[in-house]
Amino acid sequence: MRVVHPERAVTPLTSHLVTLGEYVDGYAVEDEVTSAARARGTELGCVPIGVTGGAALRFLAASLQARAVVEIGTGAGVSGLWLLGGMARDGVLTSIDVEPEHQRVARRAFSDARISPGRTRLIMGQALDVLPRLTDGGYDLVFVDAAKQEYPRYLEHGVRMLRPGGVIAFDNVFWKGKVADPADRDAETLAIRETNKAVRENDQLVSIMLPVGDGLLVAAKR
Ligand SMILES: C[S@@+](CC[C@H](N)C(=O)[O-])C[C@H]1O[C@@H](n2cnc3c(N)ncnc32)[C@H](O)[C@@H]1O
């Protein structure tokens, strides 16, 4: 389907037709600090969430008036900046990453964005070593974006850590389209497929899979 971008509708049609996907991706606007963090993340190889995915996280954080958020996979801080942009002004983002260099770069991004240091708690380590230390029912929002093979375990911890009404969000649940091909059975694809199914079948969760970027699965805890 092709649509005309509203802001360009008065100019000649042929050169200004855009696809609906491009229209959606052009809707959310990323600030300069986050774009710079995105460039550093891409350079480091820790693929940041897309702009629309980031906007979805900010929306969730704002809807929940989130004051306590856990992020599994800090990367260069792109998703963290989007989350902080929606959270309550005194909200604290706890973010876990195994790579010290990624967290160093993320810290710089938070500083560039003038986020007060007290609003971010960066924990370096393997997610599955850190998560058991985080409080049951203590968090409004959990964002999952680290080791794909560990997604099923992140789900267990996420449900435990969320307060009732809290939300868990998983990035990359399409896994570049591989989840939809039953012949694709590599370990990461299997883990994501298992997670997608487990979220849908969990009676404690109300879920929806959003066709945003590489797939964003979100679920609210009853
Ligand atoms: C896709 S990147 C995260 C991108 C970030 N969420 C963003 O959108 O800006 C994945 C991150 O997870 C981290 N990671 C991978 N395996 C991990 C593990 N087992 N425990 C903790 N962090 C891990 C990587 O070092 C990397 O920084």
Side-chain angles (χ1 to χ4, degrees):
M1 180 179 180
R2 296 180 78 80
V3 296
V4 182
H5 192 295
E7 290 166 19
R8 298 172 179 162
V10 291
T11 52
L13 264 181
T14 45
S15 57
H16 297 290
L17 283 173
V18 291
T19 65
L20 187 52
E22 287 168 335
Y23 179 86
V24 171
D25 285 339
Y27 184 78
V29 177
E30 188 162 76
D31 63 52
E32 281 180 20
V33 171
T34 312
S35 290
R38 174 179 301 288
R40 290 192 290 268
T42 304
E43 203 172 306
L44 277 172
C46 48
V47 184
I49 192 164
V51 174
T52 307
L57 296 180
R58 182 179 60 178
F59 168 81
L60 289 171
S63 319
L64 293 160
Q65 299 183 315
R67 297 188 68 242
V69 175
V70 174
E71 174 180 62
I72 310 173
T74 314
V78 173
S79 48
L81 285 171
W82 278 104
L83 286 163
L84 285 158
M87 290 166 63
R89 289 189 188 284
D90 60 347
V92 175
L93 173 71
T94 299
S95 187
I96 306 163
D97 205 294
V98 74
E99 289 291 340
E101 176 63 4
H102 295 181
Q103 290 206 322
R104 191 187 64 75
V105 171
R107 208 179 291 280
R108 173 180 161 190
F110 299 148
S111 163
D112 289 349
R114 301 182 184 283
I115 305 289
S116 99
R119 292 197 59 205
T120 56
R121 179 169 65 141
L122 301 187
I123 304 178
M124 202 202 341
Q126 289 286 344
L128 292 178
D129 292 337
V130 175
L131 289 169
R133 308 205 302 258
L134 302 185
T135 317
D136 293 9
Y139 296 92
D140 304 303
L141 177 59
V142 175
F143 173 53
V144 177
D145 193 18
K148 306 309 164 192
Q149 291 183 50
E150 295 179 355
Y151 268 33
R153 300 289 311 284
Y154 300 158
L155 170 62
E156 288 169 23
H157 283 288
V159 173
R160 172 185 64 74
M161 294 186 302
L162 282 178
R163 61 149 167 98
V167 169
I168 186 164
F170 295 84
D171 195 23
N172 304 113
V173 297
F174 294 168
W175 203 224
K176 304 157 206 163
K178 289 169 157 203
V179 287
D181 178 1
D184 222 317
R185 299 185 57 77
D186 66 81
E188 290 173 322
T189 306
L190 287 176
I192 294 176
R193 221 180 262 139
E194 177 188 336
T195 307
N196 291 345
K197 185 167 181 281
V199 167
R200 187 184 57 204
E201 292 178 354
N202 188 322
D203 290 340
Q204 284 185 277
L205 298 175
V206 179
S207 62
I208 181 166
M209 188 177 281
L210 301 173
V212 169
D214 190 29
L216 190 68
L217 178 61
V218 297
K221 184 173 175 179
R222 291 182 193 276

